[in-house]
Amino acid sequence: MAQIPFHNVWGFSVVRFIYGAFFCAVIPALNGLVVRSTPMEFRGRAFGLNQTATMLGGMLGPLVGGAISGVFSVHSVFWVTGILLLATMGLAVFLDQTPSGSSSAHNAAAK
């Protein structure tokens, strides 16, 4: 959503460069989560599913973004992206919560 206020290529480019620099940490972090949260015998399939999802996102993202910008405006693509990222964060926080007084399998495995 930080790209929304920029209407020139230079400001937009600087923000996109900074975003790219921070995004470099996402793939190794995801790979670490795959290793931590999957049994040894399922890791190969988990990495394969992770790569499939990454490639599908790399293909569908520009297609959907182009369709959104064709119907609305280029700025709307960044609004939709920001809203989807916030919704994903909310879903992750919601799914990660466990009832008080109980331990999940993830917490037990981490100990």
Side-chain angles (χ1 to χ4, degrees):
M1 290 176 76
Q3 298 101 341
I4 293 170
F6 294 100
H7 295 280
N8 63 42
V9 71
W10 293 109
F12 182 78
S13 298
V14 168
V15 171
R16 290 297 295 176
F17 178 79
I18 293 168
Y19 168 77
F22 283 101
F23 194 72
C24 291
V26 170
I27 301 299
L30 283 175
N31 288 337
L33 284 173
V34 168
V35 169
R36 263 183 82 191
S37 62
T38 57
M40 181 75 99
E41 59 275 0
F42 186 73
R43 282 194 189 141
R45 286 180 279 173
F47 278 116
L49 291 169
N50 182 31
Q51 278 302 112
T52 300
T54 300
M55 294 300 117
L56 281 173
M59 178 190 72
L60 293 175
L63 289 173
V64 172
I68 291 170
S69 69
V71 173
F72 301 106
S73 70
V74 173
H75 280 88
S76 63
V77 174
F78 299 110
W79 281 107
V80 170
T81 302
I83 290 167
L84 287 173
L85 286 171
L86 289 173
T88 303
M89 180 189 67
L91 182 65
V93 168
F94 176 75
L95 292 176
D96 192 45
Q97 293 179 353
T98 57
S100 61
S102 68
S103 72
S104 66
H106 174 70
N107 290 338
K111 291 179 182 178

